[in-house]
Amino acid sequence: MIVNFLGTGTSQGIPIIGSDHPVCLSSDSKDKRLRVSIWIRWDDNSFVIDCGPDFRQQMLRANCKKVDAILFTHEHSDHTAGIDDIRPFNFKMGEMPFYAHKRVLDNIKMRFDYIFKTEDKYPGSPSVLPIEVNNDAPFMIGDKKIIPIDALHGNLQVFGYRIDDFAYLTDIKTIEKKEIAKLQDLKVLVVNALREEYHFSHFSLQDALDFIALVKPEKAYLTHISHLMGFHEEVQKKLPENVFLAYDNLEITL
Ligand SMILES: [Zn+2]
């Protein structure tokens, strides 16, 4: 299984439009972060988690030719605003399955109402097959079981997903013990870490490190990173030896 980090930035991305912050002005490519998303593939299977405003650019940059499905963590725009750009995949492969919580599917149906019109639908607009994800109801993509992990982003429910010994959790702030129990014996855990300072709805760096110490994966990668975290190279030096700041285009094989 190959995991490609399509984007590792928080909601505004890095650089931020018009910002003179030193991290936004950095010439290190690892300090340039599109909105958070990952691409997972094995054998003939290929899916992405979330579809933010940089989806088109991410698909072109990664030379991704096939997406079988999109799994959503939650409905915030940095995770959903790129939905109109699934059309090239529709034209090649037909309807795109969207796996998400019912609340998220309802939100997408409201915001992208033209996609779900049953009459007078504009020809060539996206084509989506909504599939409801329920916690404690794993589902299959290809031959692999996907286990939803329930967590909270402030007061908002979000889903993370476990596939074999890999798990991806973003935009979490609190998570119950019974959900943490689903994260045993991981080779790789990806989890969000916004910045050093406290945030009400995202893990800070310390929150993420505490969580990693609890879950004990072999390796952990941090994502959904703000410019306020600092320069990639400097932050990486301060992390425990099995914890890495993810960066755009990073590809790991499990
Ligand atoms: Zn987000």
Side-chain angles (χ1 to χ4, degrees):
M1 189 165 83
I2 298 170
V3 175
N4 181 303
F5 289 82
L6 297 169
T8 58
T10 189
S11 60
Q12 296 186 84
I14 307 177
I16 290 177
I17 296 170
S19 168
D20 292 325
H21 188 282
V23 172
C24 294
L25 300 177
S26 167
S27 57
D28 183 350
S29 62
K30 290 179 181 169
D31 286 322
K32 305 204 181 301
R33 301 181 188 277
L34 298 179
R35 265 61 70 87
V36 76
S37 178
I38 55 164
W39 173 27
I40 297 176
R41 62 193 198 272
W42 72 97
D43 302 333
D44 194 33
N45 304 286
S46 168
F47 71 90
V48 299
I49 301 183
D50 289 330
C51 184
D54 300 317
F55 178 73
R56 176 178 176 276
Q57 190 183 346
Q58 289 165 332
M59 293 294 96
L60 291 171
R61 186 172 71 176
N63 196 24
C64 178
K65 299 223 163 88
K66 176 177 180 279
V67 174
D68 302 325
I70 303 180
L71 278 56
F72 289 90
T73 58
H74 65 299
E75 62 270 47
H76 283 166
S77 281
D78 54 324
H79 301 254
T80 54
I83 285 173
D84 197 72
D85 284 321
I86 64 168
R87 288 176 296 144
F89 294 114
N90 291 148
F91 300 150
K92 260 169 62 176
M93 304 163 61
E95 224 169 29
M96 175 75 78
F98 273 16
Y99 291 83
H101 190 284
K102 181 181 186 302
R103 181 201 77 246
V104 176
L105 293 173
D106 288 345
N107 180 280
I108 290 172
K109 286 175 188 167
M110 179 184 70
R111 287 164 55 219
F112 298 85
D113 60 341
Y114 61 97
I115 294 177
F116 299 92
K117 270 190 162 178
T118 48
E119 281 172 33
D120 275 341
K121 186 174 166 181
Y122 187 77
S125 56
S127 174
V128 167
L129 175 67
I131 302 171
E132 212 176 298
V133 173
N134 293 299
N135 197 26
D136 300 322
F139 56 95
M140 301 295 289
I141 291 201
D143 54 345
K144 288 197 190 291
K145 186 162 82 169
I146 315 288
I147 300 171
I149 317 282
D150 203 47
L152 283 175
H153 177 33
N155 291 325
L156 185 72
Q157 181 276 346
V158 298
F159 275 137
Y161 298 100
R162 175 175 185 155
I163 307 117
D164 293 343
D165 42 19
F166 170 83
Y168 181 81
L169 293 169
T170 188
D171 295 64
I172 78 165
K173 177 67 184 180
T174 47
I175 176 165
E176 285 180 23
K177 272 196 189 128
K178 72 173 183 58
E179 299 301 306
I180 296 173
K182 296 177 182 173
L183 299 171
Q184 279 169 10
D185 302 321
L186 289 176
K187 278 212 174 91
V188 172
L189 169 68
V190 180
V191 68
N192 57 293
L194 189 69
R195 59 189 190 197
E196 288 198 9
E197 200 185 319
Y198 169 87
H199 191 275
F200 78 101
S201 67
H202 297 96
F203 271 173
S204 66
L205 178 58
Q206 194 58 53
D207 290 338
L209 293 177
D210 291 346
F211 182 66
I212 292 163
L214 190 69
V215 171
K216 298 187 180 66
E218 280 179 26
K219 283 184 184 175
Y221 291 85
L222 305 177
T223 193
H224 209 288
I225 295 162
S226 159
H227 65 297
L228 299 172
M229 181 73 97
F231 294 104
H232 180 96
E233 201 184 342
E234 288 177 15
V235 177
Q236 181 59 53
K237 283 181 196 154
K238 294 190 285 189
L239 298 177
E241 61 175 8
N242 66 332
V243 181
F244 306 90
L245 272 195
Y247 52 89
D248 286 27
N249 288 325
L250 169 65
E251 204 161 80
I252 56 175
T253 303
L254 285 105

